Amino acid sequence: MKKFIFPEDFLWGAATSSYQIEGAYNVDGKGESIWDRFSHTSGKIHNNENGDIACDHYHRFQEDVALMKEIGLKSYRFSISWPRILPEGKGKVNQKGLDFYKRLVEELLQNDIQPAVTLYHWDLPQALQDEGGWVNRDTVNYFTEYAGIVFQALGDRVPLWITHNEPWVVSFLGYAFGEHAPGIKDYAQALQAAHHLLVSHGMTVDCYRGLNLDGKIGITLNLTKAYPVTDSKKDREAAARMEAFINGWFLDPIFKAEYPQILSTIYEKEFGKSDIKEGDMEIINREIDFLGINYYTRSLVRHNAEDHLLECKAIKNEEAEYTEMDWEVYPEGLYDLLVHLNKNYTQKPLYITENGAAYPDKLGEDGRVHDIKRINYLREHFKSVHKAIEEGVPLKGYYVWSLMDNFEWAYGYSKRFGIIFVDYEDQQKRVLKDSARWYSQVIRNNGVLE
Ligand code: BGC
């Protein structure tokens, strides 16, 4: 039997985010978020679905923590809804919102599950969007103030903090391509938003350090590896631009205090200069304790002159297996990515803060969900990171996306990523999928046996 055993204190976990699972969108004083507004606008989301109820986790968190315990999770990554804490984004604190997260954290700790908290997983208070959202520099200060309030309330009990989840998605899908809230299509605004997100990250790290708490703080980026479809110079350069677009635009400022030049030249020519204040790059470059990585797939790229900005095109690999998101299953990419990050960016601890797959799961007659493809997906990705760990990459934990089926943004409820099935037809009933049972064994064995 082959064994892929992980380091002793490896943190096996699962992840979710507030808007995707909580529901209770207008309960106990919560303010409106940009995702409430966006999903309530006709035509933005598949089937015009929304997160009003979602998995109703707000009312069922104890049952959910009990399921985490049953699976054997060592850690749970969730996010805090900013407008639950500050309905207007600033000013008056909504105590009931804070109390919800205090109860959740207590429940987790009582069950020996370490909380890992993300401060921003996309649900900006709508009141701040009305003032320009992330394009407005003031949002940077409001975010830092909000983070300070949360640190004061939970900082003594939460060991792992993540400032932002995927600032690439926030800025580009939200402000350049309009697929996510707030639905703007203006590339220059996206670049400004990206810069402000990064500055707010650095300022929040400063705020955390100032409080002398015992936990660790980092950021989560959606990262990929881009592979040229042929070995031609043009394709290789196209792949490099693709990687700069997704990874470098965030990794370079955080770890090298600069934006990647191969893109900043193109961007400046096309959109002019973003407003970057003196000292910003140093703030963004503040030392963090770890890097969180969300990895789902790789990018296969060829040169494409028709795309006048990046001159590249992501193409499909006809031989490969794809998930229901139409993302190629490519576990080797995760190994390559980890080695690349460790070699070229940071020797600090790394966490996989999200990895998983959507498949069209069905609740069977036997009351079970036989999601064998998800098990295969996870097994191969676990093996891939195991190889990186053996070669010395300091990977400390792995959060499967997602703990449960949930609101998959523009796709509504049409994509299921959970290891727990949620029956939206039957009062959000939860059923452990086969993948959750399999993951339980992985955690118990501290690795994969095959
Ligand atoms: C996000 C999640 C999302 C997942 C699958 C990540 O981009 O952080 O919120 O559900 O990918 O699309």
Side-chain angles (χ1 to χ4, degrees):
M1 192 200 304
K2 259 193 162 171
K3 293 183 181 178
F4 302 83
I5 302 299
F6 282 66
E8 218 171 89
D9 48 357
F10 197 75
L11 220 49
W12 297 102
T16 62
S17 87
S18 47
Y19 188 74
Q20 293 180 276
I21 64 163
E22 285 178 1
Y25 80 107
N26 59 359
V27 168
D28 288 342
K30 177 182 164 292
E32 187 188 20
S33 81
I34 55 172
W35 273 94
D36 292 315
R37 178 68 64 92
F38 193 68
S39 65
H40 292 154
T41 309
S42 177
K44 299 292 184 195
I45 311 287
H46 172 81
N47 267 340
N48 283 326
E49 287 162 348
N50 59 53
D52 291 3
I53 299 175
C55 307
D56 200 24
H57 171 76
Y58 188 80
H59 296 114
R60 302 173 71 149
F61 74 91
Q62 283 162 318
E63 176 189 347
D64 290 335
V65 174
L67 289 172
M68 296 176 211
K69 178 84 179 165
E70 190 180 333
I71 297 170
L73 297 188
K74 307 243 183 265
S75 181
Y76 171 53
R77 172 180 177 237
F78 63 95
S79 79
I80 294 198
S81 157
W82 182 350
R84 240 185 238 299
I85 310 295
L86 292 150
E88 297 295 315
K90 56 185 162 178
K92 203 172 168 313
V93 173
N94 175 36
Q95 192 55 44
K96 283 189 172 166
L98 269 183
D99 289 346
F100 167 69
Y101 295 107
K102 281 188 180 167
R103 287 200 303 273
L104 172 59
V105 165
E106 275 316 313
E107 191 75 20
L108 289 166
L109 294 175
Q110 274 170 23
N111 285 282
D112 290 323
I113 300 168
Q114 287 192 38
V117 174
T118 308
L119 288 162
Y120 189 75
H121 201 127
W122 311 351
D123 39 2
L124 186 78
Q126 179 62 39
L128 296 186
Q129 190 61 49
D130 295 343
E131 296 176 16
W134 286 108
V135 178
N136 179 356
R137 176 93 190 189
D138 295 342
T139 303
V140 171
N141 294 329
Y142 298 141
F143 178 72
T144 315
E145 281 163 26
Y146 148 67
I149 292 165
V150 178
F151 292 150
Q152 298 275 4
L154 303 173
D156 56 342
R157 276 158 297 162
V158 172
L160 284 177
W161 291 94
I162 293 160
T163 55
H164 283 287
N165 179 70
E166 305 188 345
W168 181 88
V169 172
V170 176
S171 39
F172 289 97
L173 295 193
Y175 290 83
F177 310 134
E179 292 163 25
H180 278 190
I184 294 167
K185 292 184 185 168
D186 180 333
Y187 216 99
Q189 284 196 39
L191 294 172
Q192 191 63 62
H195 182 68
H196 288 157
L197 284 156
L198 285 167
V199 177
S200 77
H201 155 74
M203 283 183 50
T204 301
V205 172
D206 281 352
C207 166
Y208 188 72
R209 302 284 184 231
L211 293 169
N212 279 319
L213 292 159
D214 288 336
K216 308 274 186 221
I217 189 159
I219 187 168
T220 280
L221 303 178
N222 51 302
L223 299 172
T224 186
K225 276 300 285 171
Y227 301 81
V229 70
T230 73
D231 203 31
S232 73
K233 187 159 178 280
K234 282 196 155 182
D235 284 346
R236 278 189 279 120
E237 286 174 354
R241 283 192 299 277
M242 179 66 102
E243 229 172 88
F245 170 54
I246 298 174
N247 299 1
W249 202 253
F250 297 88
L251 283 172
D252 288 18
I254 291 170
F255 293 107
K256 301 178 177 168
E258 63 192 13
Y259 284 106
Q261 222 202 329
I262 48 167
L263 274 196
S264 52
T265 321
I266 299 175
Y267 284 163
E268 259 183 59
K269 210 168 113 217
E270 192 71 26
F271 309 110
K273 271 191 187 329
S274 295
D275 186 9
I276 299 178
K277 302 227 181 297
E278 214 188 307
D280 279 1
M281 299 315 288
E282 288 70 40
I283 295 176
I284 299 172
N285 182 226
R286 287 292 192 266
E287 189 173 350
I288 50 178
D289 301 314
F290 65 89
L291 174 67
I293 299 154
N294 291 355
Y295 175 86
Y296 288 92
T297 189
R298 69 157 164 177
S299 237
L300 189 59
V301 177
R302 72 165 169 77
H303 174 257
N304 171 29
E306 279 160 40
D307 163 24
H308 88 280
L309 197 62
L310 299 177
E311 292 190 28
C312 61
K313 186 176 168 64
I315 61 162
K316 226 172 152 164
N317 173 8
E318 295 305 334
E319 268 119 69
E321 188 199 327
Y322 278 72
T323 69
E324 226 213 340
M325 297 295 281
D326 213 16
W327 294 343
E328 182 185 352
V329 179
Y330 196 72
E332 299 88 331
L334 184 50
Y335 165 82
D336 290 347
L337 176 65
L338 290 174
V339 170
H340 163 70
L341 292 170
N342 180 243
K343 185 165 163 239
N344 299 313
Y345 284 100
T346 181
Q347 282 75 56
K348 295 264 178 184
L350 303 175
Y351 289 85
I352 305 298
T353 40
E354 285 180 31
N355 172 252
Y359 289 109
D361 305 311
K362 296 263 176 312
L363 186 56
E365 301 269 297
D366 58 356
R368 302 271 294 257
V369 179
H370 302 298
D371 57 338
I372 182 78
K373 283 191 173 164
R374 182 171 293 102
I375 294 176
N376 289 338
Y377 179 99
L378 290 173
R379 185 198 297 109
E380 295 312 309
H381 284 79
F382 290 170
K383 281 161 58 181
S384 193
V385 303
H386 182 267
K387 186 169 164 217
I389 295 173
E390 292 227 297
E391 291 174 17
V393 173
L395 184 78
K396 301 294 180 194
Y398 204 118
Y399 295 83
V400 170
W401 185 270
S402 175
L403 176 71
M404 55 184 135
D405 295 335
N406 57 46
F407 178 80
E408 178 52 31
W409 308 112
Y411 295 92
Y413 295 97
S414 66
K415 308 285 180 220
R416 293 180 178 272
F417 272 94
I419 54 173
I420 297 174
F421 185 87
V422 176
D423 194 345
Y424 302 112
E425 316 273 282
D426 186 8
Q427 296 172 16
Q428 275 65 19
K429 196 175 96 193
R430 277 85 159 130
V431 177
L432 294 194
K433 297 182 191 175
D434 286 358
S435 58
R437 296 165 193 272
W438 173 82
Y439 191 33
S440 245
Q441 287 169 18
V442 170
I443 299 173
R444 227 173 301 130
N445 296 328
N446 196 31
V448 177
L449 313 183
E450 59 171 29

